[in-house]
Amino acid sequence: MDIAKNPTVTAIVDAALREDLANGDLTTTLLVPPAAQAVARVIARQEMVLAGATIFEKVMNMADPYISVNLKVHDGTKVKPGEELAIVAGKAASILAAERTALDLVMRMSGIATLTRQYVKQLPEGSRTRILDTRKTTPGLRLIERYAVRCGGGLNHRSDLGGGLLIKDNHIAAVGSLARAVAAAKACRDPSHRIEVEVGTLEQVDEAVASGAEVIMLDNMDASTISMAVQRIAGRTLVEVSGNVKLQDVARLANAGVDFISVGALTHSAPACDVSMKFELKGDG
């Protein structure tokens, strides 16, 4: 399904437009005749992976259903500086009112997709390792940020706290021990949910395997400890690595035999891409 048709995206766009237009568009109201028509071209100003094209169109259409948007590039496509992404036509005042919101969402999403693609490209050819995002997303924007990760070739971790069983250090502290936490989860979980346990030491690795965990997350371990952990797990569980993973770490981790590399930076630290709109007034009505 087109991401732009999701009701959550409608709510995001509505809130963003209301935020920017709470007091109207003073400059446009004073300077631009109400009936003036315009054509605007959306241009990539850097090399990037596009994400959010249909959301851009949705912003424009929610601002004014009579705005026409001709999308030139599909999401997930790598584009070059100067490449035309879309052509917008309609009332000049409406386009100007929606411009910033539409561009901001595309810039944010494309930044995430572009950074994700960089991580994915570091995987050795034929590797079974996959790049995952985390829940370290912008509050309220998780749906579109997770979509942007997929546009970049990554996969999504659990969507929310109800989307999977992940026993972290604070859960273990609250329950009393790792083994006790896993046992409690086994006793009452939905069988479709895998039990994942976050560990920080080799001793915890052994305990997690013995307790019957199905995924072990190696959190903030150094390279040598990760290698030893993978050897000790010996394929008895899936292995995820998390914690401050840099681009230069990806190939080494994949070659060590981990199944997943989760990277919070994909969503919490991706720089926005540079996208602009070139505006041409077509008449004063």
Side-chain angles (χ1 to χ4, degrees):
M1 186 179 87
D2 179 1
I3 184 74
K5 295 179 180 178
N6 188 297
T8 300
V9 173
T10 301
I12 289 170
V13 172
D14 180 63
L17 285 170
R18 285 189 287 106
E19 178 182 58
D20 213 27
L21 295 168
N23 297 299
D25 182 353
L26 180 60
T27 308
T28 298
T29 300
L30 292 175
L31 300 183
V32 180
Q37 300 291 306
V39 172
R41 289 173 170 78
V42 183
I43 307 294
R45 299 187 65 180
Q46 67 176 86
E47 186 176 274
M48 63 183 226
V49 176
L50 178 65
T54 59
I55 293 178
F56 176 92
E57 182 177 21
K58 187 178 187 73
V59 174
M60 289 291 165
N61 291 158
M62 285 182 66
D64 182 345
Y66 296 102
I67 292 176
S68 168
V69 180
N70 181 8
L71 299 175
K72 298 291 188 178
V73 181
H74 296 296
D75 285 346
T77 303
K78 185 175 180 180
V79 298
K80 299 176 181 178
E83 190 165 343
E84 189 174 80
L85 306 179
I87 299 177
V88 183
K91 283 189 177 182
S94 297
I95 296 172
L96 288 167
E99 175 187 6
R100 185 72 272 147
T101 297
L103 289 179
D104 281 351
L105 289 172
V106 170
M107 290 165 63
R108 172 67 180 153
M109 294 175 69
S110 297
I112 291 170
T114 300
L115 182 59
T116 301
R117 183 69 56 84
Q118 292 171 5
Y119 271 85
V120 170
K121 287 186 68 175
Q122 296 303 308
L123 292 169
E125 186 175 355
S127 174
R128 62 180 174 81
T129 307
R130 295 294 178 261
I131 302 296
L132 301 179
D133 57 14
T134 73
R135 285 172 40 250
K136 295 178 181 178
T137 53
T138 307
L141 300 184
R142 181 172 296 167
L143 180 74
I144 63 173
E145 292 184 347
R146 283 164 54 85
Y147 170 76
V149 168
R150 298 196 299 275
C151 289
L155 300 179
N156 299 137
H157 212 291
R158 56 179 180 162
S159 59
D160 50 52
L161 288 172
L165 272 165
L166 175 51
I167 300 171
K168 299 173 71 69
D169 55 352
N170 286 333
H171 297 112
I172 294 169
V175 173
S177 75
L178 187 156
R180 188 179 299 171
V182 173
K186 281 183 174 181
C188 58
R189 66 163 170 165
D190 180 329
S192 67
H193 290 153
R194 292 187 301 206
I195 297 176
E196 181 169 4
V197 180
E198 176 188 271
V199 301
T201 67
L202 291 176
E203 291 72 25
Q204 285 186 318
V205 168
D206 293 337
E207 189 178 2
V209 171
S211 69
E214 293 154 297
V215 186
I216 295 178
M217 178 192 288
L218 309 177
D219 184 50
N220 282 296
M221 287 185 177
D222 59 39
S224 62
T225 306
I226 288 171
S227 294
M228 287 188 285
V230 172
Q231 291 172 14
R232 287 166 86 148
I233 293 168
R236 289 175 289 175
T237 76
L238 295 171
V239 181
E240 178 180 345
V241 170
S242 183
N244 200 33
V245 178
K246 302 292 192 296
L247 278 170
Q248 61 267 27
D249 301 325
V250 171
R252 171 181 54 77
L253 292 172
N255 288 329
V258 307
D259 299 286
F260 306 109
I261 302 171
S262 56
V263 186
L266 299 182
T267 50
H268 72 60
S269 295
C273 287
D274 193 358
V275 180
S276 66
M277 182 179 287
K278 299 298 184 183
F279 198 83
E280 180 183 347
L281 193 65
K282 300 302 291 184
D284 60 9

